[in-house]
């Protein structure tokens, strides 16, 4: 019986128009990655489970897609674990591989594995799918594409500055205005946490602070109180949440408030170093954001996050930061890393909403050839081959349907030009050339026909 | 404890040089697909198991990678089925999704699902990974890339001719000489099977015939005898295996031998039709191959297979054929289809063995910038931004390592040019430009430096 065709929830088919738009964005990002000296790598879709499990916290382990062992191997299913509801152990007994959850951990594994084949500092980019068994919602899919650029094996504020510049260059090329590149530094957060209360409370502090946007200062205060911070801490925090002025101004204020916190001072100094390299570039919409506290389980220095323009209601479209020692998980120590990532799917949604795709993306074909049937096509075969060799995308209508039907198809194809070859044309050795935009037609001798006239 | 980094068997990491080569081949194929009017689509890596299972025969079902259901859902594991060794039923109880096994069945599902969003005839191409739990060996991987072009919704020998031409154009662009495009027709095979023996024995016949290369005519005869064909059949088969001359000559001989087999005559006529459109194109290495009998479970007309040049010991690098009614599996009837596929991984191996990759692929960076440290980089920042905007791929050495170390890195990077900016350069406002190929250096005023001199 025929099945009603459908795909798993949270996954998508991409029609030609979708692929054209996604390719446009990917190619733009890729071009800029290459201009900044990043080299492409690719890793397998499936990694060994041991390489991924435990690297993304509890949530990551839970949202990982596991691939069942093949053949007889599943006979080893640990039924006892299942009956005790030890699902992790049960999964382990029937699955040794999992789908890539992000591009960073596979990259760390790659660097450790291939360390003797690479020259350091190593700048790599990677554009591949990742999979997460997350509840699907707007802008969140179970299969989506990440575009990552990372450099490992070097520490220099020049690299951080290049990350900021790279975000800016890509958005500029995509004509996307108003995306905000937010930066912060882990050491500033550490310094503030120490300044406010007992040591080692940075996570409690940042979890509360992260909600400032949603619940306001009063809400953050409430939450901090519940997490055991005293009144005194809240008094100290108030001026920190009221920073204003340029980034340099804000860092000045912060420095005077946190002058006794060496961690914070170090973080501030590092951001100043980075800004020295960014300032000649007039990057628009760069912002210091004290509440930015993402990925604290592995970021160790600067933290990036890019928000879409305010008119678009969507989460971050880019992120990144400095992480030291991620490759140590795979036995390679003291390998400093820094990276940024573009979320392709959300970026595409932003461009769509703001109507920023070039109209030329709709043209997947340059010329469509209409005719009276096979005998006519046969005359054209060597000519069509020549046109294609010159780079033209030529769609030959394959059958001898009524001309009306062929014209309808030509219209839907968005081809800017149609070439018609029928009885009269065959007799006279000509082509009728139609500009599909203006509707104008012209008759041209087939043997001298030059495709360079087909401009749009 | 640190893990020794490794990846699942049958999968691969691609280093920058590998990606450059693969991208070169993919881009070449993609360019030609587009010149022939094919439009890109993409489908999810995971399909519902019901969409894939049973579509590829028993072997396909066995080699499919199944994705475990997430979270609590695996509690529904059918333990009884497991204890009865009903592994299929057990798998079904804990997995609803499987990784794409090829691009054809997902395409059929796609066409049925999106039929009202497409205009027919619909020409699509698709370049994506597929996964098979096959025993890894030379040229066979568990994750590999297919490059498919198919047209659905039309029947015309022009389309078959375009498939042949497309194979030829791609190989020509890749400078690959000596690949043989072999063609056959299912109806010719059916006609011969009927001519030789009892009806409905086409599969027995083709299974034996397919081994001609390996076991010779005598071997094929033995095997046919075992499968119940009489002496008489073998006598009839002998002249069929001895066809020689041009394709048209061979079809002539075949026609006279099979004149009483209407199916065969129809297949021969169809191939002649196709050849009419191919012959003006001087396609090299097109061959009629009576033993070609691939994909008989779904091919209904012409069958293609491409063998690499004889000097390379590797299986087919391309394949395809006409299939009618594949979309009927998903409820869409009478949708004729025709398609070809390039096996990217094997094609890359062939180019590698024959040393056919352009040497420019080794240059992933155009210019490398060497310097005495951050303070020097700062002067260059606006200039580097300008060079990158002009399209140049510029790698800035990120730290102030000793110049010797930087030069060593520059050599390994394969960049054709190095720009050096140190104390003297800063004082005089110049750049030292080094041609890494010839070793020549030049000093150029930084403000008038024009990147167009950096040609290779």
């Amino acid at each position: 019986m025929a099945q009603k065709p459908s795909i798993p929830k949270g996954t998508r088919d991409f029609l030609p128009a979708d692929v054209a738009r996604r390719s446009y964005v990917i190619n733009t990002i890729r071009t800029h990655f290459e201009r900044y000296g990043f080299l492409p790598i690719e890793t397998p879709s499936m990694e060994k489970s041991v390489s991924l499990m435990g690297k993304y916290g509890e949530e990551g382990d839970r949202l990982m897609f596991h691939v069942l062992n093949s053949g007889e191997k599943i006979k080893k299913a640990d039924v006892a674990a299942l009956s005790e509801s030890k699902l992790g152990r049960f999964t382990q007994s029937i699955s040794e591989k999992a789908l890539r959850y992000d591009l960073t951990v596979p990259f760390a594994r790659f660097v450790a594995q291939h360390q003797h084949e690479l020259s350091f500092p190593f700048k790599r980019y990677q554009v591949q799918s990742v999979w997460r068994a997350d509840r699907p919602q707007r802008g969140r899919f179970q299969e989506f594409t990440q575009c990552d650029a990372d450099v490992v094996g070097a520490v220099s504020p020049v690299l951080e500055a290049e990350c900021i510049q790279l975000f800016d260059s890509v958005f500029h090329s995509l004509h996307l205005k108003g995306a905000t590149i937010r930066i912060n530094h882990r050491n500033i957060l550490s310094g503030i946490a120490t300044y406010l209360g007992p040591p080692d409370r940075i996570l409690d502090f940042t979890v509360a602070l992260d909600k400032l946007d949603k619940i306001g200062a009063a809400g953050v205060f409430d939450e901090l109180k519940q997490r055991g911070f005293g009144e005194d801490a809240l008094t100290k925090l108030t001026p920190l949440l009221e920073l204003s002025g340029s980034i340099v101004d804000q860092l000045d204020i912060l420095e005077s408030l946190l002058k006794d916190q060496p961690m914070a001072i170090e973080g501030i100094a590092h951001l100043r170093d980075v800004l020295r390299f960014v300032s000649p570039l007039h990057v628009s919409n760069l912002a210091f954001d004290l509440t930015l506290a993402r990925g604290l389980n592995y970021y160790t220095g600067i933290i990036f996050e890019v928000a879409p323009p305010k008119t678009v209601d969507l989460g971050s479209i880019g992120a990144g930061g400095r992480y030291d020692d991620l490759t140590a998980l795979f036995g390679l120590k003291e390998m400093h890393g820094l990276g940024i990532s573009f979320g392709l799917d959300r970026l595409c949604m932003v461009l769509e909403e703001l109507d920023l795709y070039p109209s030329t993306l709709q043209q997947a074909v340059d010329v469509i050839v209409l005719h009276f049937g096979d005998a006519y096509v046969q005359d054209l075969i060597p000519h069509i081959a020549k046109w294609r060799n010159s780079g033209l995308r030529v769609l030959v209508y394959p059958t001898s349907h009524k001309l009306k039907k062929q014209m309808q198809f030509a219209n839907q194809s968005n081809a800017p030009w149609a070439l018609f070859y029928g009885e009269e044309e065959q007799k006279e050795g000509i082509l009728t050339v139609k500009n599909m935009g203006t509707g104008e037609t012209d008759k041209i001798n087939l043997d001298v026909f030059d495709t360079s006239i087909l401009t749009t």
Side-chain angles (χ1 to χ4, degrees), chain A residues 187-202 205 229-230 232-241 253-264 290:
Chain A
N187 288 2
I188 297 179
L189 289 168
S190 299
I192 297 177
T194 312
Y195 172 61
L196 295 187
D200 301 327
R201 300 301 291 278
I202 180 169
F205 167 61
F229 286 79
D232 162 53
L234 306 186
T235 316
K236 285 171 164 178
L237 182 57
T238 305
L240 296 176
L241 297 185
I253 301 169
L254 210 56
E255 191 165 3
S256 66
L257 292 169
L258 298 172
K259 60 183 182 302
D260 298 326
Q261 300 300 329
M263 284 288 265
L290 196 63

Side-chain angles (χ1 to χ4, degrees), chain A residues 193 196-198 201 204-205 224-231 233-234:
Chain A
L196 295 187
R201 300 301 291 278
D204 278 313
F205 167 61
L224 283 175
K225 262 189 243 168
Q226 281 165 32
R227 289 172 181 267
F229 286 79
E231 275 300 332
L234 306 186

Side-chain angles (χ1 to χ4, degrees), chain A residues 311-329:
Chain A
T311 52
V312 182
D313 176 28
L314 207 61
S316 70
I317 54 175
R322 173 163 289 284
Y323 48 88
D324 291 317
D325 249 14
L326 196 62
T327 58
L329 294 168

Side-chain angles (χ1 to χ4, degrees), chain A residues 386-454:
Chain A
K386 205 176 61 189
W387 304 337
R388 284 175 173 157
N389 279 339
S390 78
L392 223 57
R393 296 170 301 177
V394 183
L395 179 66
V396 180
Y397 196 86
T399 52
S400 54
H401 282 133
K402 289 224 173 81
L403 197 58
K404 193 178 158 194
K405 190 166 175 185
Q406 293 191 43
M407 273 308 292
Q408 201 178 345
F409 181 86
N411 280 321
Q412 284 168 348
S413 78
N414 280 323
W417 297 91
L419 301 180
F420 180 74
Y421 187 75
E423 213 168 335
E424 183 199 336
E425 285 81 2
Q426 189 176 47
K427 199 157 49 183
E428 299 181 19
I430 57 167
L431 274 175
T432 299
V433 181
K434 179 170 182 176
N435 180 323
M436 298 293 284
T438 64
E440 282 170 59
T441 62
D442 204 354
K443 291 187 187 300
I444 298 180
N445 188 303
L446 183 55
D447 289 322
V448 302
F449 174 67
D450 178 351
T451 55
S452 64
I453 67 160
L454 306 181

Side-chain angles (χ1 to χ4, degrees), chain A residues 132 137-141 144-147 167 171 176 178-183 210 213-214 289 292-295 299 303-310 312-320 340-350:
Chain A
R132 296 183 188 177
Q137 61 180 56
R138 184 175 136 78
R140 193 196 282 163
F141 308 97
F144 57 100
T145 303
Q146 289 190 335
C147 310
F167 274 130
F171 298 141
L176 175 62
T180 309
I181 305 168
R182 298 152 69 203
I183 59 171
D210 193 44
D213 254 10
K214 283 182 205 135
D289 185 347
L292 177 60
R294 51 173 294 128
Y299 289 137
I303 307 168
F304 305 109
E305 186 168 276
V306 183
K310 290 201 178 61
V312 182
D313 176 28
L314 207 61
S316 70
I317 54 175
I340 62 170
S341 180
F342 290 86
L344 177 71
D345 303 82
R346 288 199 187 158
L347 194 48
C348 287
M349 290 170 78
V350 170

Side-chain angles (χ1 to χ4, degrees), chain A residues 27-196:
Chain A
N27 290 338
T28 303
I29 293 173
R30 201 188 303 252
T31 298
H32 286 284
F33 282 170
E34 294 185 352
R35 288 185 187 169
Y36 283 78
F38 292 93
L39 309 178
I41 71 157
E42 288 180 12
T43 62
S45 302
M46 298 186 285
E47 292 273 348
K48 290 186 171 175
S49 304
V50 289
S51 298
L52 303 186
M53 295 298 284
K55 305 293 194 299
Y56 305 99
E58 204 187 313
E59 195 193 21
D61 284 358
R62 193 165 46 78
L63 300 183
M64 199 89 65
F65 277 114
H66 299 276
V67 178
L68 209 55
N69 292 340
S70 305
E72 301 280 302
K73 274 189 171 180
I74 53 170
K75 285 190 176 169
K76 293 190 185 153
D78 185 344
V79 179
L82 180 66
S83 63
E84 293 163 31
S85 273
K86 299 208 162 127
L87 300 185
R89 228 176 68 206
F90 176 63
T91 299
Q92 245 183 318
S93 71
I94 50 174
S95 161
E96 288 165 0
K97 293 187 282 281
L99 293 177
R100 196 164 46 212
Y101 186 82
D102 76 352
L103 303 180
T104 308
V105 170
F107 174 54
R109 194 265 312 143
F110 176 98
V111 170
Q113 188 172 333
H114 300 282
Q115 53 186 288
H116 302 299
E117 301 158 73
L118 308 173
S119 357
F120 295 96
F122 179 56
K123 293 177 97 170
R124 87 84 172 79
Y125 78 85
Q126 193 169 353
V127 178
Q128 290 194 283
S129 296
V130 303
W131 294 266
R132 296 183 188 177
D134 224 333
R135 185 187 299 273
Q137 61 180 56
R138 184 175 136 78
R140 193 196 282 163
F141 308 97
Q142 294 205 340
E143 174 172 21
F144 57 100
T145 303
Q146 289 190 335
C147 310
D148 280 23
D150 290 76
V151 50
V152 289
V155 175
S156 155
V158 172
L159 294 170
E160 270 93 339
E162 281 191 340
C163 287
I164 293 169
Q165 204 184 341
L166 186 46
F167 274 130
D168 191 56
S169 308
V170 167
F171 298 141
H172 187 261
S173 275
L174 294 173
H175 308 288
L176 175 62
K177 287 170 190 153
T180 309
I181 305 168
R182 298 152 69 203
I183 59 171
N184 196 5
H185 198 288
R186 190 202 164 96
N187 288 2
I188 297 179
L189 289 168
S190 299
I192 297 177
T194 312
Y195 172 61
L196 295 187

